[in-house]
Amino acid sequence: KIQRVLGRPKSTLRGKGLYRIKDHYLDFWFGFVFPNQASLERGLEPSLWNNESALQQYFSFKFEDFILDLLPYLGIAEFNQLGRWWYKDIEIDLCAIDESTPLLFVGECKWRENVNANEIMTALEPKADAIPWKKPSRTVLFGIFAKSFAKRIQTFHAYSVICMNFSDLEKIFVPKTTT
């Protein structure tokens, strides 16, 4: 299935979106297997398997998709809209809106270890300020999702910040088994 990804929630701009393959298996196949099919069929090992940066970039995008899918189940708010947000040179991984409060959730996903949340927030706070939705009456909440953190924070300037890593997500979504 092909999915249209818009740069802003409730965007009605025609032709301003991106098109992506929604199925993870087909997306990986067209991104990695198909371009190397001839080498694979000859039994040669494609150099792509050794290209760590291409694989890490692929998994980084999939991590963003994963968190975007989980966001409604994290208990943060009742979001009316969620997705990514971009405008000109500003890009935000996660943007969600709760119209009733009004709450703007802005998040960043980092597919790496030992993330410093202060550094991420230094870059993310001005990006969030560029979003014109319901200024100045809105409340802004930030989220940072990563493999692991070197430094977590709960606040940055006047804002609340949620920092979640893999083990935090596991505690929420993986039931404990008793033996």
Side-chain angles (χ1 to χ4, degrees), residues 7 16-17 41-42 45 48 66 75 80 85 89 95 110 152 160 168 170:
K16 297 290 183 185
E41 288 173 351
R42 289 188 184 98
E45 184 174 318
L48 184 61
F66 174 69
N80 306 92
W85 190 90
D89 63 340
C95 181
K110 293 296 177 191
R152 288 179 184 246
S160 295
D168 297 325
E170 182 180 40

Side-chain angles (χ1 to χ4, degrees), residues 63-116:
F63 183 55
E64 288 177 20
D65 290 343
F66 174 69
I67 297 299
L68 195 57
D69 289 344
L70 291 181
L71 200 55
Y73 305 102
L74 294 178
I76 298 168
E78 294 292 324
F79 297 118
N80 306 92
Q81 304 171 52
L82 57 110
R84 292 171 173 83
W85 190 90
W86 67 85
Y87 180 72
K88 295 185 180 180
D89 63 340
I90 300 171
E91 182 180 332
I92 298 174
D93 296 340
L94 307 168
C95 181
I97 293 171
D98 180 350
E99 295 273 358
S100 65
T101 10
L103 173 72
L104 172 65
F105 178 83
V106 177
E108 185 76 16
C109 298
K110 293 296 177 191
W111 180 251
R112 65 176 191 250
E113 305 279 347
N114 300 317
V115 169
N116 182 327

